[in-house]
Amino acid sequence: IGLDCAEEVEENECDQIGDVLISRIIDKHMARLDATCLKILTLFFSRHRLAEISEETGVGMNYIKLKKHICQRKLIEMVRKDPYIKELLE
């Protein structure tokens, strides 16, 4: 990402700072999702298979696939619109 780190900060430290910032921004927007999206994406990002998510939530696999896609698109859109992300990417 476009972090402008001070010269005394090593490149890998700068990358780690960027990763933490992006993770926090994603977490902030995840918390704004509805409960269903939050549960599905949390399980998905925790490396659960769609079948496991379906079983855990008690809804069909096709619904999980569709809802996961919708929720991911929503999250991506929120993150892209985040003013801090826009600033980092400029």
Side-chain angles (χ1 to χ4, degrees):
I1 63 173
L3 269 181
D4 186 20
C5 291
E7 288 182 22
E8 61 273 359
V9 176
E10 292 188 32
E11 187 175 334
N12 66 338
E13 287 179 277
C14 189
D15 290 343
Q16 289 174 349
I17 292 167
D19 291 346
V20 168
L21 288 173
I22 289 174
S23 180
R24 287 186 179 170
I25 290 168
I26 290 170
D27 288 347
K28 175 180 83 171
H29 292 293
M30 285 273 295
R32 293 177 53 208
L33 295 171
D34 63 69
T36 304
C37 281
L38 182 59
K39 179 145 186 135
I40 290 171
L41 291 183
T42 299
L43 290 169
F44 180 74
F45 292 147
S46 298
R47 304 208 184 273
H48 286 77
R49 294 187 336 254
L50 293 178
E52 293 171 329
I53 297 170
S54 174
E55 189 175 308
E56 172 93 16
T57 58
V59 295
M61 182 87 131
N62 288 334
Y63 175 82
I64 294 297
K65 286 180 187 178
L66 176 63
K67 189 70 174 172
K68 180 190 76 67
H69 176 75
I70 291 169
C71 296
Q72 279 182 307
R73 298 277 10 127
K74 193 183 301 183
L75 179 61
I76 289 167
E77 190 63 30
M78 288 191 296
V79 170
R80 280 188 180 149
K81 288 181 178 178
D82 187 283
Y84 196 70
I85 287 290
K86 284 183 176 182
E87 184 180 322
L88 286 174
L89 297 177
E90 288 179 347

